[in-house]
Amino acid sequence: MEGEIAEECQKYGTVNRVLIFEITEPNFPHDEAVRIFVQFERAEQSTKALIDLEGRFFGGRVVHACFYDEERFAKNELAPLPGEIPGF
């Protein structure tokens, strides 16, 4: 699936990295359980992707695009912080 995502996102610019992170915690909201991270070569490329992908359907789910903390991403800290997802 990473390859498909990278291919789709290449129209916005050079994709450096794609990571898919699934949250397997019991009772975690199904629609929030998969996080896909796409790292672009340049910030303006990620801005274009964010604008275009927000609200789109992918794999039967609505895409909620946002920027992510670069330090957390570099450390592979991909799980939501306490309180980030309402109720968890």
Side-chain angles (χ1 to χ4, degrees), residues 40-68:
F40 289 90
E41 188 172 274
R42 297 190 347 245
E44 60 269 15
Q45 297 167 343
S46 59
T47 300
K48 284 187 215 174
L50 183 139
I51 291 167
D52 194 47
L53 294 173
E54 174 61 33
R56 233 174 101 180
F57 281 91
F58 185 82
R61 296 181 183 183
V62 177
V63 173
H64 298 289
C66 64
F67 291 110
Y68 196 74

Side-chain angles (χ1 to χ4, degrees), residues 25 28 35 68 72 77-88:
E25 184 176 321
F28 198 83
R35 291 179 153 202
Y68 196 74
R72 288 188 65 209
E77 294 175 1
L78 308 176
L81 294 172
E84 185 178 333
I85 306 295
F88 287 89

Side-chain angles (χ1 to χ4, degrees), residues 1-78:
M1 189 168 190
E2 284 97 344
E4 286 179 54
I5 294 165
E7 185 176 319
E8 175 69 18
C9 288
Q10 284 178 351
K11 65 184 173 187
Y12 307 110
T14 303
V15 174
N16 290 339
R17 185 176 176 198
V18 174
L19 280 172
I20 298 174
F21 181 78
E22 186 173 1
I23 301 160
T24 58
E25 184 176 321
N27 301 318
F28 198 83
H30 179 70
D31 60 334
E32 298 282 347
V34 177
R35 291 179 153 202
I36 299 173
F37 298 85
V38 181
Q39 182 183 40
F40 289 90
E41 188 172 274
R42 297 190 347 245
E44 60 269 15
Q45 297 167 343
S46 59
T47 300
K48 284 187 215 174
L50 183 139
I51 291 167
D52 194 47
L53 294 173
E54 174 61 33
R56 233 174 101 180
F57 281 91
F58 185 82
R61 296 181 183 183
V62 177
V63 173
H64 298 289
C66 64
F67 291 110
Y68 196 74
D69 183 273
E70 290 184 52
E71 286 184 36
R72 288 188 65 209
F73 182 74
K75 295 177 186 176
N76 286 325
E77 294 175 1
L78 308 176

